[in-house]
Every structure is written in structure tokens, then in C-alpha cells.
Amino acid sequence: MRLAVIGGLAAGPAAAAEAKRRDPAAEVVLFEASAFVSVGACETRLVAAGVLDDLPSIPAETLASTRGLDVRTRHRVDALDVRTGTLTVEAMDHGSRYTDRFDRFILATGARARRLGIAGEDAHGVFALRSKEDAHALRDWLDTEPVRHVVVAGAGPVGVELAEAVRLRGLRATILAPEGRALAGLLHADLGAPLASALRAAGVALRAERAIEILTNAAGRVRAVRTDRGELIGCQAVIVAVGIEPRTELARAAGIRLGATGGLAADDQMRTSARTVWACGDGAEVRRVVDGASVLWPVAPVARQTGRVAARNAVRRGGPPATFAGVTGAAAVVAFGLELAAVGLSERDAAFAGLDAVAVQVAGRSRSSVTPGGHPLWVRLLAERGSGRLLGGQVMGAEGAAWRANVLVPLLRARATARDLAEDTDLLYTPPVGPAVDPLRVAAARLAAAAR
Ligand SMILES: Cc1cc2nc3c(=O)[nH]c(=O)nc-3n(C[C@H](O)[C@H](O)[C@H](O)COP(=O)(O)OP(=O)(O)OC[C@H]3O[C@@H](n4cnc5c(N)ncnc54)[C@H](O)[C@@H]3O)c2cc1C
């Protein structure tokens, strides 16, 4: 058995290691176009802030020797022929190309940062963050150039985290958020005020504008961003954080089917439309359990788990196939002194799914009222009208938001109702981590009544 795993950042190494664990006799080759494998991209904000010098990663040699893999960095797979089982590979350091035959393939080609598609985007001082090299480039620019002001285009999780990193360096930061608020994809507008005031307090300007052009000086370095309101914002660096696009060109050229999201379509065994090809990671569609929709859910635990499922099936000789249980859709950002977490559907998602949803929002405290040091905490829960089935939740506060959001994950997976959470879920009670009647339970009780 020769297995090729294409892509070596998060999903690929998890898949390759799992394949070797399951079938030690298999020859597993991991191809990665960049120089690095097994990279912790989630720490990019710390590198940008100058807190960490580099993103963590596992040296290719260590990955190879400890997992028994053939790891080929700086090897880009240019073509996959599923009919003949052949890969065409560019050995980038040797300037050569070769072909190699395999029995099975796992595509872990991930995603690239979406571009703004505007003039000036390729100027010196414009950054999009996906890889170790991207983090180095931003770090080096901020370390060595006379940067005073950074414009962050995009107010999603990455944009917000990087704006905080910029402020931690003592630089001015402006976020361009055409929606008029930060984390609009994660949090309902009614939860917007605390985040907006945290941004203001941290000295971050948030402008409801879109970048339409990046202007440069004679040396080709960024000097300003022009917005759709005709404003010119002077700056010495631009961070583009407007989402991701699955990297699918290899699969498309191989005739592998894409889903409606533009990601690789895969079944619950992570098998693609080609019999010998599995997919995993940020580039692969997964099922959202709450509404059954096929979605892209580009987070590291999902990347690694889909990788392991793909690997188990790719090397399987018998027995039942491994299946991926889908995602609830959990995401969190911790920035500017707030934890902001969301699980499951938003009201917009629910409407799109044709679900009749009811929402309630409550404000409470993170600790019992007599315990010093508590903070305001906001909980917004969503349920299906009639059945009361929980559809989603959003929790925000200076502390205790992420653990409460995590409580919702298994409940959504189990199709629990608001009443189940309000009455039959024995959340722990310890005054320093929550009041006796937790805001989560208060919200659930109100929701159970409202959803009837
Ligand atoms: C700034 C930032 C912060 C993040 N924070 C979090 C967080 O807090 N929590 C969380 O869960 N997730 C976070 N993520 C997301 C997480 O990093 C991703 O989910 C994870 O990296 C996905 O891994 P992947 O292997 O699927 O894809 P990718 O990371 O996109 O890696 C794909 C790899 O495949 C390689 N490749 C592609 N095509 C080829 C080819 N043809 N030949 C050879 N190699 C190829 C690429 O070079 C790349 O290294 C963050 C991401 C970023 C960018």
C-alpha cells in the first residue's frame, strides 16, 4: 500500500500519522509545498504581537523519524491522475519534476486567504496570514520598518486577533468592517455593544468602510488605503483578513467533485467523488449536525479529526469504515479582554435552513454576586419554535464565556431542548466560576417558555 498525503500543515500530518499507526506496513508519503510541516497557525497573533518569535512546528525530520513517514517538504504536487494513480510533483529546491504512483490519496490541501481583489494588494507591506512564512513576513515588517499605523481589512476572528496584536506592539490599528461592527459572522448585533466599547477602549478605530485601493510610495511600499467612502487612511502596513478560499485546483483538474461551498465534496467517511481519494481539513466540506448543511468549518480540531477519519478509511482492509460525526459549528475569539464564543446556528443560518427560530438574550454575571471579581456575561440562545430544540448559542464576557459555549456543544449534538438545559443539566456550581442560577440556565428557561 502506497498512500500519498498532499498538504502538511495540520490535517495532512494528522492523516499521515494515523495511516501509519493503522497500517505500519503502508508506505506513507507526505507532500508539502512549503518548507514547514505540522505548523501551529493558531498562534499567529502571538508572533504578530512580538510575544512569540516563531510559530510552533515539528521539524520534517522529527515527523519522519517519530511517525515513520516519508516527509517531502518543498515538494508541490502539480497534478493528480486518479485513473493511473499518478502524481506529478515539483521538487522545488531542485527545479525538477517527477511522477510517482500511489494506491490511494488524501487531499489535505487546505485553504488560502481570500484576496480583496483591489489595486495595490501585492505591494510591500500587505499581508495575509495562513502559513509560517506569512507570520515571519509580518513579524519582520513590523520589527524592521518604521510602522506607526496598521489597517486591518476584515473584522472576523483573524482580523480582530491581529488588531489586538498590533495594539500590543503599541501601534495604531484601524479595522475596516463594511458590516459596521466586528465579528458580525459570529455574534448577533444585539451583542455588539460590549465588543465595540472594548475596541474603543483599546484605541482601535473601527470604520464601516471597505478598502478599494492600496496606495504605495515610489519604493512600492504601502502608504495608504482608499476606502469606498473616498477616505484615504495613511498607514505603513495592511493586513488582509477577509476569510478563506478552499484550495481545490488540484482536485478540480483531477475531475473531483466540489460542493456548493466551493470546498471538496466528501461523504461522512471523508471520501471524495474519486474512489481512491479522501479529503480532509479546511478545504473539505463537512456536515453541520444542527441543520445537516454542508459547510466549511476551518478550525484546527476539525482539520485533524477529518484527517484521521480519512486516513483510517484510506488504509482500511476490512471492518466498518470510520465516520466523521460532523461539526456543531463552534468558534471563539479571545481579544481585548473579552471571550466571544458561538456554537451552532445564528438566526441568519436558521432562516436560511428554513427553521422557525426563537431567540432570547440575557445579561448576567460570570461569578456569584458576592464573589469578588465577577464580570458581566451575556448569553443569547436560539431554539426551534414548537419543539424547543436548541439550535445555537452565543456567549460573551470577560471570563467564563468559552466554557459555557462548550457546554452547548454536546447538547446541540444530542438535539437537546431548551428545557433540557434549563432543568435537566446539572451544571456545576462553584461561586468563583458561576452563580447558583447560571446565566446559561436563565437563558434556557426563558427560551423554553418563548419557544412553546
Ligand atoms: C491566523 C490564524 C489563526 C487561527 N486560529 C485558530 C484557532 O484559534 N483555533 C482553531 O481551531 N483554528 C485556528 N485557525 C485555523 C487553523 O489554522 C486551520 O484550521 C488549520 O491550519 C487547517 O489546516 P489544514 O491542514 O486543513 O490546511 P492549511 O492550513 O491550509 O494547510 C494546507 C497545506 O497544504 C499545502 N499544500 C496545498 N496544496 C499543495 C500541493 N498541491 N502540494 C503540496 N502541498 C500543498 C499548503 O502549503 C499548506 O501548508 C487559525 C488560522 C489562522 C490563519
Side-chain angles (χ1 to χ4, degrees):
M1 158 73 83
R2 293 196 82 219
L3 171 68
V5 180
I6 305 157
L9 200 124
E18 180 71 1
K20 197 68 187 170
R21 263 193 298 273
R22 294 283 165 138
D23 182 359
E27 188 189 340
V28 181
V29 183
L30 179 65
F31 293 97
E32 167 55 49
S34 79
F36 304 101
V37 285
S38 229
V39 179
C42 308
E43 275 85 15
T44 300
R45 61 190 305 178
L46 297 179
V47 176
V51 173
L52 260 191
D53 197 44
D54 199 358
L55 290 180
S57 62
I58 301 179
E61 307 73 40
T62 309
L63 192 68
S65 62
T66 58
R67 314 288 202 280
L69 306 172
D70 179 346
V71 180
R72 302 189 192 169
T73 52
R74 306 265 307 145
H75 281 64
R76 181 179 13 245
V77 175
D78 288 337
L80 160 62
D81 184 334
V82 288
R83 208 176 34 82
T84 58
T86 312
L87 290 183
T88 307
V89 182
E90 184 187 349
M92 296 156 77
D93 288 336
H94 303 100
S96 61
R97 294 176 108 215
Y98 63 92
T99 57
D100 206 351
R101 290 209 57 220
F102 291 89
D103 301 300
R104 306 217 163 154
F105 304 88
I106 295 178
L107 294 174
T109 45
R112 57 170 59 87
R114 186 174 290 142
R115 287 172 61 88
L116 290 166
I118 61 175
E121 200 169 357
D122 294 318
H124 297 301
V126 182
F127 304 92
L129 292 142
R130 278 302 294 177
S131 65
K132 206 166 164 93
E133 289 91 338
D134 296 338
H136 291 173
L138 176 64
R139 176 201 62 194
D140 294 349
W141 187 267
L142 296 179
D143 280 349
T144 57
E145 294 291 318
V147 177
R148 296 179 306 284
H149 186 193
V150 180
V151 171
V152 180
V158 172
V160 168
E161 287 182 355
L162 286 161
E164 185 185 53
V166 166
R167 290 299 296 138
L168 285 171
R169 280 184 175 256
L171 306 174
R172 277 179 64 206
T174 295
I175 299 181
L176 297 181
E179 312 83 0
R181 63 191 183 92
L183 300 181
L186 201 68
L187 301 176
H188 190 270
D190 290 355
L191 287 168
L195 177 56
S197 49
L199 287 169
R200 262 194 312 276
V204 176
L206 187 134
R207 300 170 64 139
E209 290 165 71
R210 190 184 298 277
I212 58 164
E213 186 184 0
I214 295 171
L215 292 92
T216 56
N217 62 19
R221 291 166 138 70
V222 169
R223 69 173 172 87
V225 170
R226 192 188 306 282
T227 75
D228 56 352
R229 296 232 174 121
E231 299 281 336
L232 216 53
I233 307 172
C235 60
Q236 299 76 39
V238 176
I239 296 173
V240 178
V242 290
I244 58 157
E245 274 169 12
R247 205 182 276 141
T248 54
E249 50 274 20
L250 192 63
R252 261 185 290 135
I256 290 170
R257 200 167 69 77
L258 303 187
T261 64
L264 301 166
D267 62 15
D268 66 354
Q269 299 174 28
M270 302 313 300
R271 192 197 286 255
T272 69
S273 60
R275 206 177 43 82
T276 55
V277 185
W278 284 259
C280 54
D282 280 10
E285 285 187 346
V286 288
R287 191 175 55 88
R288 186 169 54 197
V289 293
V290 187
D291 61 345
S294 290
V295 296
L296 294 171
W297 203 259
V299 294
V302 172
R304 285 195 292 267
Q305 186 58 17
T306 52
R308 284 188 283 268
V309 169
R312 284 171 202 158
N313 291 322
V315 299
R316 185 170 70 98
R317 293 245 173 76
T323 52
F324 179 65
V327 298
T328 50
V333 179
V334 179
F336 300 107
L338 286 174
E339 292 179 16
L340 311 118
V343 185
L345 306 189
S346 65
E347 272 126 295
R348 202 174 345 155
D349 295 331
F352 192 72
L355 293 163
D356 185 5
V358 188
V360 300
Q361 185 171 317
V362 303
R365 301 279 302 169
S366 61
R367 306 183 187 186
S368 83
S369 56
V370 294
T371 303
H375 293 277
L377 187 93
W378 293 267
V379 178
R380 187 176 184 89
L381 292 180
L382 193 67
E384 186 178 30
R385 194 184 303 279
S387 73
R389 176 167 72 100
L390 285 168
L391 298 175
Q394 299 165 10
V395 194
M396 175 173 64
E399 62 176 18
W403 80 249
R404 288 173 173 89
N406 262 342
V407 166
L408 297 173
V409 171
L411 290 171
L412 291 188
R413 206 171 266 290
R415 303 177 74 81
T417 63
R419 191 200 153 279
D420 293 331
L421 172 55
E423 296 183 23
D424 298 342
T425 306
D426 55 331
L427 295 178
L428 57 83
Y429 167 53
T430 304
V433 292
V437 184
D438 196 86
L440 202 52
R441 196 186 292 284
V442 175
R446 290 201 196 149
L447 185 59
R452 261 191 224 117

